[in-house]
Amino acid sequence: MNYSSHAPAVWEPAFADRDDCTLTSDECVVLAEHYFVKGLIEIPVVGSDEVFSWAVWVSLSRENFSRARDLWETPGRESEEPYFGWLTTDLLPYSPTTLNLKTYVHTRPVGERPLVELEPTDHPLAVEQRTGITLERVREIAAAVLHADGGEQR
């Protein structure tokens, strides 16, 4: 019920050896100019208590990235206003691309990955986040992702 992306779409393997680039399981910096955090797009599964989620990367401004980092281990951080960001994960089952969809990153309690809320547009992913998906759709997504690349999204 969860698929995860290893790195933002702009990440290149050569960046791993650079001093101005960092990639961890929670954050990424590219060329000391581009800042990303990993969060969850949660989609309710219709007719159940389950939630399907995409673990995705979102770009943040330098200021918001620094603020999120400063509060990472701070109790009460979930009271922080959401951070604006751009989705930087290409989720293959969706057309048009999910790259550069507008988002709001909601910080949650310490130990929980942020919630990524998509701007309410007519993009299929945004519609699914608002209205939910069926178990059949979950199976379709699983088949598409596993067929494409073994479960790891770009």
Side-chain angles (χ1 to χ4, degrees):
M1 295 295 279
N2 179 297
Y3 291 99
S4 183
S5 173
H6 172 69
V10 298
W11 181 263
E12 297 178 14
F15 291 159
D17 297 326
R18 294 182 58 121
D19 291 338
D20 58 353
C21 297
T22 304
L23 176 63
T24 72
S25 61
D26 297 311
E27 63 183 44
C28 179
V29 176
V30 173
L31 305 175
E33 293 179 16
H34 307 284
Y35 304 90
F36 309 89
V37 295
K38 196 172 198 177
L40 297 176
I41 296 175
E42 295 182 344
I43 303 172
V45 178
V46 177
S48 83
D49 294 332
E50 299 212 46
V51 173
F52 176 86
S53 63
W54 292 104
V56 298
W57 292 91
V58 176
S59 67
L60 296 179
S61 68
R62 178 188 306 233
E63 295 78 20
N64 285 342
F65 179 82
S66 293
R67 178 85 177 148
R69 182 185 258 181
D70 289 347
L71 295 175
W72 194 250
E73 296 294 331
T74 303
R77 69 183 190 166
E78 63 273 16
S79 63
E80 190 74 1
E81 289 292 317
Y83 305 121
F84 175 80
W86 300 95
L87 187 60
T88 55
T89 301
D90 186 14
L91 300 174
L92 299 177
Y94 294 94
S95 181
T97 182
T98 57
L99 289 174
N100 297 317
L101 292 177
K102 292 179 182 179
T103 69
Y104 293 94
V105 177
H106 298 264
T107 306
R108 297 200 271 199
V110 173
E112 292 184 37
R113 205 171 278 292
L115 174 69
V116 177
E117 175 190 8
L118 295 168
E119 179 182 56
T121 65
D122 62 354
H123 188 282
L125 179 59
V127 171
E128 288 183 350
Q129 187 177 41
R130 287 193 311 274
T131 63
I133 58 175
T134 64
L135 279 174
E136 180 58 32
R137 176 66 176 140
V138 172
R139 287 185 205 98
E140 289 173 11
I141 291 170
V145 170
L146 294 173
H147 175 74
D149 54 16
E152 185 78 18
Q153 289 289 296
R154 290 182 280 153

